Amino acid sequence: MPPVSINGLPLEAILSPYEDKPELVQRIAHRKVKAPELAIVEPDPQWLDHFQTFRSRILAAFEQPQGPSDEVQRQEDGDTAIRVTIQSINHVGSTSVPGLPAKAVIDIDLVLSSNTLSYEPFYVPRLEAAGFQFILREPEWNEHRFFASAWVEPMSCNLHVWGPQCPEVERHRIFRDWLREHEDDRELYATTKRECATLSREKGEDVMQYNSRKEEVIRQILTRAFTELGYL
């Protein structure tokens, strides 16, 4: 019998992907720095080092002294300001899988103790000061916030900010770890990425349309991972 929960998350939430709803996306800004070209490049061992650079910037940003903007919410029974703390910083996406071709973009899942609207005055200025531009807010999708690197060094970065106990973070981890350990699906995903990127460039599509082209193969790979893990 499958487990009821994984790492404190209901199994059903992990197994059920979110249905994309573009009309609910709240755009905050347009990118200051142009996104990289939609091209799949060969794996680069330096991607892991670049992740560590971005990770260090994020950690340093949250170590800044507390100021007036930190008092974003107060406990009902006192005057102690509630701060936002980092729960995890995870390298995800294709650049996190050694040997996997990818777009030249580092993807990071930043999990905070809370990332909802009332806490933005705490963490948004810190992340923007560290070189991450606030682009999108998606409250319906596990309170997802999307930031993009506003600097060109060391390379482009997509920063996804989530709150605690987020099923999407668990899905990203499972997918990453599966590809690291299974060469056949790693090769399948590499082929799919190249084919989808070529088609999207030929048709003048954007990265969201490219991502949609990959969805069926991602779903197949996750199903195999869920099955072997005993979740299905």
Side-chain angles (χ1 to χ4, degrees), residues 74-87:
R74 293 184 178 276
Q75 296 177 357
E76 294 181 358
D77 58 349
D79 293 328
T80 304
I82 300 175
R83 294 181 52 130
V84 177
T85 57
I86 294 174
Q87 294 194 343

mmCIF file with all atom_site columns, all heavy atoms in Angstrom, residues 74-87:
data_model
loop_
_atom_site.group_PDB
_atom_site.id
_atom_site.type_symbol
_atom_site.label_atom_id
_atom_site.label_alt_id
_atom_site.label_comp_id
_atom_site.label_asym_id
_atom_site.label_entity_id
_atom_site.label_seq_id
_atom_site.pdbx_PDB_ins_code
_atom_site.Cartn_x
_atom_site.Cartn_y
_atom_site.Cartn_z
_atom_site.occupancy
_atom_site.B_iso_or_equiv
_atom_site.pdbx_formal_charge
_atom_site.auth_seq_id
_atom_site.auth_comp_id
_atom_site.auth_asym_id
_atom_site.auth_atom_id
_atom_site.pdbx_PDB_model_num
ATOM 1   N N   . ARG A 1 74 ? 2.950  40.809 12.977 1.00 0.00 ? 74 ARG A N   1
ATOM 2   C CA  . ARG A 1 74 ? 3.236  40.633 14.391 1.00 0.00 ? 74 ARG A CA  1
ATOM 3   C C   . ARG A 1 74 ? 2.376  39.524 14.966 1.00 0.00 ? 74 ARG A C   1
ATOM 4   O O   . ARG A 1 74 ? 1.239  39.321 14.558 1.00 0.00 ? 74 ARG A O   1
ATOM 5   C CB  . ARG A 1 74 ? 2.990  41.944 15.157 1.00 0.00 ? 74 ARG A CB  1
ATOM 6   C CG  . ARG A 1 74 ? 3.982  43.034 14.769 1.00 0.00 ? 74 ARG A CG  1
ATOM 7   C CD  . ARG A 1 74 ? 3.777  44.282 15.625 1.00 0.00 ? 74 ARG A CD  1
ATOM 8   N NE  . ARG A 1 74 ? 4.748  45.287 15.289 1.00 0.00 ? 74 ARG A NE  1
ATOM 9   C CZ  . ARG A 1 74 ? 5.967  45.348 15.768 1.00 0.00 ? 74 ARG A CZ  1
ATOM 10  N NH1 . ARG A 1 74 ? 6.381  44.426 16.617 1.00 0.00 ? 74 ARG A NH1 1
ATOM 11  N NH2 . ARG A 1 74 ? 6.807  46.301 15.411 1.00 0.00 ? 74 ARG A NH2 1
ATOM 12  N N   . GLN A 1 75 ? 2.943  38.846 15.921 1.00 0.00 ? 75 GLN A N   1
ATOM 13  C CA  . GLN A 1 75 ? 2.181  37.801 16.580 1.00 0.00 ? 75 GLN A CA  1
ATOM 14  C C   . GLN A 1 75 ? 0.985  38.414 17.304 1.00 0.00 ? 75 GLN A C   1
ATOM 15  O O   . GLN A 1 75 ? 1.052  39.533 17.811 1.00 0.00 ? 75 GLN A O   1
ATOM 16  C CB  . GLN A 1 75 ? 3.062  37.047 17.576 1.00 0.00 ? 75 GLN A CB  1
ATOM 17  C CG  . GLN A 1 75 ? 4.201  36.293 16.919 1.00 0.00 ? 75 GLN A CG  1
ATOM 18  C CD  . GLN A 1 75 ? 5.087  35.610 17.949 1.00 0.00 ? 75 GLN A CD  1
ATOM 19  O OE1 . GLN A 1 75 ? 4.865  35.748 19.146 1.00 0.00 ? 75 GLN A OE1 1
ATOM 20  N NE2 . GLN A 1 75 ? 6.074  34.907 17.467 1.00 0.00 ? 75 GLN A NE2 1
ATOM 21  N N   . GLU A 1 76 ? -0.120 37.672 17.336 1.00 0.00 ? 76 GLU A N   1
ATOM 22  C CA  . GLU A 1 76 ? -1.342 38.207 17.925 1.00 0.00 ? 76 GLU A CA  1
ATOM 23  C C   . GLU A 1 76 ? -1.187 38.485 19.420 1.00 0.00 ? 76 GLU A C   1
ATOM 24  O O   . GLU A 1 76 ? -1.853 39.347 19.960 1.00 0.00 ? 76 GLU A O   1
ATOM 25  C CB  . GLU A 1 76 ? -2.494 37.228 17.703 1.00 0.00 ? 76 GLU A CB  1
ATOM 26  C CG  . GLU A 1 76 ? -2.875 37.076 16.230 1.00 0.00 ? 76 GLU A CG  1
ATOM 27  C CD  . GLU A 1 76 ? -4.022 36.116 16.059 1.00 0.00 ? 76 GLU A CD  1
ATOM 28  O OE1 . GLU A 1 76 ? -4.466 35.552 17.082 1.00 0.00 ? 76 GLU A OE1 1
ATOM 29  O OE2 . GLU A 1 76 ? -4.478 35.929 14.916 1.00 0.00 ? 76 GLU A OE2 1
ATOM 30  N N   . ASP A 1 77 ? -0.294 37.747 20.064 1.00 0.00 ? 77 ASP A N   1
ATOM 31  C CA  . ASP A 1 77 ? -0.206 37.873 21.515 1.00 0.00 ? 77 ASP A CA  1
ATOM 32  C C   . ASP A 1 77 ? 1.004  38.681 21.979 1.00 0.00 ? 77 ASP A C   1
ATOM 33  O O   . ASP A 1 77 ? 1.386  38.619 23.132 1.00 0.00 ? 77 ASP A O   1
ATOM 34  C CB  . ASP A 1 77 ? -0.145 36.473 22.143 1.00 0.00 ? 77 ASP A CB  1
ATOM 35  C CG  . ASP A 1 77 ? 1.034  35.658 21.618 1.00 0.00 ? 77 ASP A CG  1
ATOM 36  O OD1 . ASP A 1 77 ? 1.667  36.099 20.635 1.00 0.00 ? 77 ASP A OD1 1
ATOM 37  O OD2 . ASP A 1 77 ? 1.313  34.603 22.203 1.00 0.00 ? 77 ASP A OD2 1
ATOM 38  N N   . GLY A 1 78 ? 1.606  39.451 21.076 1.00 0.00 ? 78 GLY A N   1
ATOM 39  C CA  . GLY A 1 78 ? 2.766  40.214 21.512 1.00 0.00 ? 78 GLY A CA  1
ATOM 40  C C   . GLY A 1 78 ? 3.296  41.116 20.419 1.00 0.00 ? 78 GLY A C   1
ATOM 41  O O   . GLY A 1 78 ? 2.688  41.269 19.365 1.00 0.00 ? 78 GLY A O   1
ATOM 42  N N   . ASP A 1 79 ? 4.475  41.707 20.693 1.00 0.00 ? 79 ASP A N   1
ATOM 43  C CA  . ASP A 1 79 ? 5.057  42.661 19.755 1.00 0.00 ? 79 ASP A CA  1
ATOM 44  C C   . ASP A 1 79 ? 6.272  42.104 19.027 1.00 0.00 ? 79 ASP A C   1
ATOM 45  O O   . ASP A 1 79 ? 6.989  42.855 18.372 1.00 0.00 ? 79 ASP A O   1
ATOM 46  C CB  . ASP A 1 79 ? 5.484  43.940 20.503 1.00 0.00 ? 79 ASP A CB  1
ATOM 47  C CG  . ASP A 1 79 ? 4.285  44.699 21.045 1.00 0.00 ? 79 ASP A CG  1
ATOM 48  O OD1 . ASP A 1 79 ? 3.223  44.656 20.402 1.00 0.00 ? 79 ASP A OD1 1
ATOM 49  O OD2 . ASP A 1 79 ? 4.437  45.329 22.101 1.00 0.00 ? 79 ASP A OD2 1
ATOM 50  N N   . THR A 1 80 ? 6.496  40.810 19.123 1.00 0.00 ? 80 THR A N   1
ATOM 51  C CA  . THR A 1 80 ? 7.660  40.228 18.472 1.00 0.00 ? 80 THR A CA  1
ATOM 52  C C   . THR A 1 80 ? 7.433  40.110 16.971 1.00 0.00 ? 80 THR A C   1
ATOM 53  O O   . THR A 1 80 ? 6.469  39.476 16.532 1.00 0.00 ? 80 THR A O   1
ATOM 54  C CB  . THR A 1 80 ? 7.966  38.829 19.041 1.00 0.00 ? 80 THR A CB  1
ATOM 55  O OG1 . THR A 1 80 ? 8.141  38.939 20.446 1.00 0.00 ? 80 THR A OG1 1
ATOM 56  C CG2 . THR A 1 80 ? 9.229  38.261 18.405 1.00 0.00 ? 80 THR A CG2 1
ATOM 57  N N   . ALA A 1 81 ? 8.289  40.725 16.178 1.00 0.00 ? 81 ALA A N   1
ATOM 58  C CA  . ALA A 1 81 ? 8.141  40.667 14.732 1.00 0.00 ? 81 ALA A CA  1
ATOM 59  C C   . ALA A 1 81 ? 8.461  39.267 14.227 1.00 0.00 ? 81 ALA A C   1
ATOM 60  O O   . ALA A 1 81 ? 9.395  38.625 14.695 1.00 0.00 ? 81 ALA A O   1
ATOM 61  C CB  . ALA A 1 81 ? 9.071  41.678 14.063 1.00 0.00 ? 81 ALA A CB  1
ATOM 62  N N   . ILE A 1 82 ? 7.663  38.783 13.284 1.00 0.00 ? 82 ILE A N   1
ATOM 63  C CA  . ILE A 1 82 ? 7.888  37.479 12.679 1.00 0.00 ? 82 ILE A CA  1
ATOM 64  C C   . ILE A 1 82 ? 8.772  37.658 11.461 1.00 0.00 ? 82 ILE A C   1
ATOM 65  O O   . ILE A 1 82 ? 8.429  38.384 10.533 1.00 0.00 ? 82 ILE A O   1
ATOM 66  C CB  . ILE A 1 82 ? 6.553  36.823 12.275 1.00 0.00 ? 82 ILE A CB  1
ATOM 67  C CG1 . ILE A 1 82 ? 5.663  36.644 13.501 1.00 0.00 ? 82 ILE A CG1 1
ATOM 68  C CG2 . ILE A 1 82 ? 6.789  35.482 11.594 1.00 0.00 ? 82 ILE A CG2 1
ATOM 69  C CD1 . ILE A 1 82 ? 4.289  36.129 13.183 1.00 0.00 ? 82 ILE A CD1 1
ATOM 70  N N   . ARG A 1 83 ? 9.886  36.990 11.442 1.00 0.00 ? 83 ARG A N   1
ATOM 71  C CA  . ARG A 1 83 ? 10.828 37.105 10.333 1.00 0.00 ? 83 ARG A CA  1
ATOM 72  C C   . ARG A 1 83 ? 10.653 35.927 9.385  1.00 0.00 ? 83 ARG A C   1
ATOM 73  O O   . ARG A 1 83 ? 10.129 34.884 9.757  1.00 0.00 ? 83 ARG A O   1
ATOM 74  C CB  . ARG A 1 83 ? 12.263 37.117 10.855 1.00 0.00 ? 83 ARG A CB  1
ATOM 75  C CG  . ARG A 1 83 ? 12.595 38.332 11.693 1.00 0.00 ? 83 ARG A CG  1
ATOM 76  C CD  . ARG A 1 83 ? 14.033 38.271 12.155 1.00 0.00 ? 83 ARG A CD  1
ATOM 77  N NE  . ARG A 1 83 ? 14.934 38.054 11.032 1.00 0.00 ? 83 ARG A NE  1
ATOM 78  C CZ  . ARG A 1 83 ? 16.019 38.793 10.806 1.00 0.00 ? 83 ARG A CZ  1
ATOM 79  N NH1 . ARG A 1 83 ? 16.322 39.773 11.621 1.00 0.00 ? 83 ARG A NH1 1
ATOM 80  N NH2 . ARG A 1 83 ? 16.790 38.535 9.783  1.00 0.00 ? 83 ARG A NH2 1
ATOM 81  N N   . VAL A 1 84 ? 11.126 36.120 8.161  1.00 0.00 ? 84 VAL A N   1
ATOM 82  C CA  . VAL A 1 84 ? 11.142 35.053 7.181  1.00 0.00 ? 84 VAL A CA  1
ATOM 83  C C   . VAL A 1 84 ? 12.514 34.395 7.228  1.00 0.00 ? 84 VAL A C   1
ATOM 84  O O   . VAL A 1 84 ? 13.542 35.074 7.193  1.00 0.00 ? 84 VAL A O   1
ATOM 85  C CB  . VAL A 1 84 ? 10.869 35.600 5.768  1.00 0.00 ? 84 VAL A CB  1
ATOM 86  C CG1 . VAL A 1 84 ? 10.953 34.486 4.730  1.00 0.00 ? 84 VAL A CG1 1
ATOM 87  C CG2 . VAL A 1 84 ? 9.509  36.275 5.706  1.00 0.00 ? 84 VAL A CG2 1
ATOM 88  N N   . THR A 1 85 ? 12.532 33.082 7.308  1.00 0.00 ? 85 THR A N   1
ATOM 89  C CA  . THR A 1 85 ? 13.799 32.361 7.336  1.00 0.00 ? 85 THR A CA  1
ATOM 90  C C   . THR A 1 85 ? 13.869 31.364 6.178  1.00 0.00 ? 85 THR A C   1
ATOM 91  O O   . THR A 1 85 ? 12.850 30.928 5.649  1.00 0.00 ? 85 THR A O   1
ATOM 92  C CB  . THR A 1 85 ? 13.978 31.595 8.664  1.00 0.00 ? 85 THR A CB  1
ATOM 93  O OG1 . THR A 1 85 ? 12.870 30.697 8.834  1.00 0.00 ? 85 THR A OG1 1
ATOM 94  C CG2 . THR A 1 85 ? 14.036 32.558 9.836  1.00 0.00 ? 85 THR A CG2 1
ATOM 95  N N   . ILE A 1 86 ? 15.085 31.011 5.799  1.00 0.00 ? 86 ILE A N   1
ATOM 96  C CA  . ILE A 1 86 ? 15.310 30.053 4.716  1.00 0.00 ? 86 ILE A CA  1
ATOM 97  C C   . ILE A 1 86 ? 15.203 28.637 5.269  1.00 0.00 ? 86 ILE A C   1
ATOM 98  O O   . ILE A 1 86 ? 15.849 28.299 6.253  1.00 0.00 ? 86 ILE A O   1
ATOM 99  C CB  . ILE A 1 86 ? 16.695 30.275 4.088  1.00 0.00 ? 86 ILE A CB  1
ATOM 100 C CG1 . ILE A 1 86 ? 16.755 31.637 3.390  1.00 0.00 ? 86 ILE A CG1 1
ATOM 101 C CG2 . ILE A 1 86 ? 17.024 29.162 3.093  1.00 0.00 ? 86 ILE A CG2 1
ATOM 102 C CD1 . ILE A 1 86 ? 18.143 32.004 2.871  1.00 0.00 ? 86 ILE A CD1 1
ATOM 103 N N   . GLN A 1 87 ? 14.405 27.814 4.598  1.00 0.00 ? 87 GLN A N   1
ATOM 104 C CA  . GLN A 1 87 ? 14.319 26.405 4.966  1.00 0.00 ? 87 GLN A CA  1
ATOM 105 C C   . GLN A 1 87 ? 15.207 25.533 4.088  1.00 0.00 ? 87 GLN A C   1
ATOM 106 O O   . GLN A 1 87 ? 15.771 24.544 4.558  1.00 0.00 ? 87 GLN A O   1
ATOM 107 C CB  . GLN A 1 87 ? 12.866 25.928 4.900  1.00 0.00 ? 87 GLN A CB  1
ATOM 108 C CG  . GLN A 1 87 ? 11.974 26.595 5.942  1.00 0.00 ? 87 GLN A CG  1
ATOM 109 C CD  . GLN A 1 87 ? 10.640 25.887 6.108  1.00 0.00 ? 87 GLN A CD  1
ATOM 110 O OE1 . GLN A 1 87 ? 10.228 25.090 5.269  1.00 0.00 ? 87 GLN A OE1 1
ATOM 111 N NE2 . GLN A 1 87 ? 9.950  26.190 7.188  1.00 0.00 ? 87 GLN A NE2 1
#
